[in-house]
Amino acid sequence: PVLEVVGISALSDKGITAVDDVSFTLREGEILVIAGVSGNGQQELAEVLAGLREMEQGKVILQGIDVSQASTLERWQNGLGYIPAERVHVGSIGDFSLVENVAMNYYFDDDFTHRGIIDFGEMRKLTDALIAQYNVATPSADTKGKALSGGNLQKLILARVLSRKPRLVIANLPTQGLDIGATEFVRNQLMEAKKDMAGILLISEDLDEVLSLSDWVAPIYEGEFMDIIPGDEAKRENVGAMMAGIRLEEVET
């Protein structure tokens, strides 16, 4: 197992239960898709796992280590990669250059810092390499993040996260708002990470994406997993019904 989640509960920003006693296991080389309509607790669950939101109860075990009380940085250092749903205000800093945006996932790495100071020469080399590898359309690595299109900004975020070879990737709505080409690129990169034996926790509202990428599907409704279904057994009508709060036995009858 890459990730073991045991009885997690968490509150929303309004103090209402958003995640209600969720448990699951994600193994290396598998994609577990949390399928749900926006506002059913998937955002809060992603933030809990990334260390960005406190949980009321439960445990998060990452690569065999209990990180329930660990900081986001400690989780990154233990193999977590997080791709947030909001790429503009959370996943990047618009007034920072692409070099500086990449540095947000490398500033703690000894290969790119010396006595706490970022080596921007090395960081620029890395950024140039990632721009080329991930086909980011930009005049240069000095371009500000806010100058990129949504698709190219998402490519940069993917490059920054996946280039660290995380063992767990949390991808929250990674293709939302992208055109067909960028969507296909993002999905292919997630599949490549799977081939590298990362565990992928994908949060999606797109049933086509859910059914095409999943090894396991967990429909979520009002903060609870309705079931966890093998991807090859997941049917569109059943998953869609559970996303609306109808349990499988009710669907079948």
Side-chain angles (χ1 to χ4, degrees), residues 71-240:
S71 67
T72 300
L73 176 56
E74 289 171 320
R75 297 180 198 214
W76 274 97
Q77 291 172 323
N78 196 43
L80 169 72
Y82 179 51
I83 301 165
E86 179 48 75
R87 65 183 68 99
V88 174
H89 299 297
V90 179
S92 63
I93 298 178
D95 286 326
F96 278 19
S97 71
L98 303 192
V99 175
E100 291 167 323
N101 271 281
V102 168
M104 290 194 292
N105 282 139
Y106 278 90
Y107 72 91
F108 52 84
D109 193 315
D110 290 341
D111 291 337
F112 297 94
T113 61
H114 301 288
R115 297 180 180 178
I117 298 174
I118 295 174
D119 182 339
F120 277 100
E122 290 301 312
M123 194 65 68
R124 179 178 299 279
K125 291 178 185 177
L126 172 64
T127 303
D128 284 336
L130 294 180
I131 287 171
Q133 181 181 349
Y134 283 77
N135 300 318
V136 180
T138 179
S140 79
D142 294 317
T143 301
K144 290 185 177 182
K146 63 185 180 184
L148 297 187
S149 68
N152 283 297
L153 182 57
Q154 189 70 323
K155 287 180 180 181
L156 184 78
I157 294 169
L158 246 69
R160 187 184 74 201
V161 172
L162 298 182
S163 62
R164 292 196 63 87
K165 302 295 182 183
R167 303 322 305 144
L168 167 67
V169 179
I170 301 172
N172 190 359
L173 305 179
T175 61
Q176 181 175 254
L178 302 184
D179 62 28
I180 293 174
T183 293
E184 190 66 20
F185 183 89
V186 169
R187 291 175 180 172
N188 287 340
Q189 292 303 313
L190 293 177
M191 292 302 291
E192 287 299 314
K194 173 186 171 177
K195 290 178 184 177
D196 286 341
M197 300 308 291
I200 314 291
L201 184 67
L202 171 62
I203 297 172
S204 180
E205 300 175 6
D206 183 333
L207 269 176
D208 289 330
E209 184 169 81
V210 170
L211 297 174
S212 64
L213 297 183
S214 60
D215 293 297
W216 298 91
V217 181
I220 190 170
Y221 179 74
E222 293 187 347
E224 296 184 54
F225 281 5
M226 303 296 286
D227 201 350
I228 299 179
I229 312 163
D232 57 5
E233 297 178 14
K235 298 179 181 178
R236 177 181 296 271
E237 59 272 21
N238 292 350
V239 174

